């Protein structure tokens, strides 16, 4: 059976895969042997917005009035779609003042 060319090809592929896995395991063991903090993979040299105080402060300024703006837009939309009687279109809405 080992003389079959297809079988030899499969054996060679399995051997190459075992060697590749051994190399990866060696790299993993080397990394695990080193103690200390490690950057997130893929972000090692990049800027992470969720960890930057400067970006957090900028986001707080930019999005500071999002809730109020959203509520105002919602109220305007409800007012446009409400009946002319002055009653709210929905039961959970505050009546006009």
């Amino acid at each position: 059976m080992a003389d079959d060319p297809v079988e030899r090809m499969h054996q060679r592929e399995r051997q190459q895969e075992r060697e590749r896995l051994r190399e990866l395991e060696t790299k993993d063991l080397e990394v695990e042997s080193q103690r200390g903090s490690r950057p997130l993979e893929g972000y090692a040299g990049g800027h992470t917005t969720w960890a930057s105080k400067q970006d957090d402060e900028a986001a707080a300024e930019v999005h500071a009035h999002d809730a109020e703006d959203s509520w105002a837009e919602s109220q305007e939309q409800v007012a446009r779609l409400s009946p002319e009687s002055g009653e709210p279109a929905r039961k959970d809405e505050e009546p006009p003042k």
Side-chain angles (χ1 to χ4, degrees):
M1 185 69 91
D3 294 334
D4 183 21
V6 174
E7 181 62 29
R8 283 193 305 242
M9 182 179 71
H10 287 283
Q11 285 179 352
R12 186 174 54 246
E13 288 173 350
R14 286 190 293 268
Q15 180 63 29
Q16 289 172 345
E17 181 66 12
R18 283 192 294 268
E19 289 173 13
R20 185 183 71 81
L21 292 173
R22 279 190 204 110
E23 289 174 10
L24 290 176
E25 181 67 20
T26 303
K27 288 179 185 178
D28 287 345
L29 291 172
E30 182 181 327
V31 168
E32 291 298 322
S33 69
Q34 299 172 358
R35 301 234 180 238
S37 62
R38 298 182 192 148
L40 294 174
E41 184 177 335
Y43 294 102
H47 178 72
T48 55
T49 58
W50 61 85
S52 171
K53 182 180 178 185
Q54 180 181 4
D55 285 344
D56 290 343
E57 290 172 356
E61 290 176 18
V62 170
H63 300 290
H65 302 288
D66 283 358
E68 295 89 1
D69 295 343
S70 176
W71 180 254
E73 288 177 23
S74 176
Q75 291 299 317
E76 290 173 13
Q77 182 180 19
V78 168
R80 284 195 318 267
L81 301 174
S82 291
E84 294 298 323
S85 65
E87 294 180 15
R90 297 183 342 211
K91 301 272 188 225
D92 62 343
E93 182 182 313
E94 295 177 16
K97 295 177 183 172

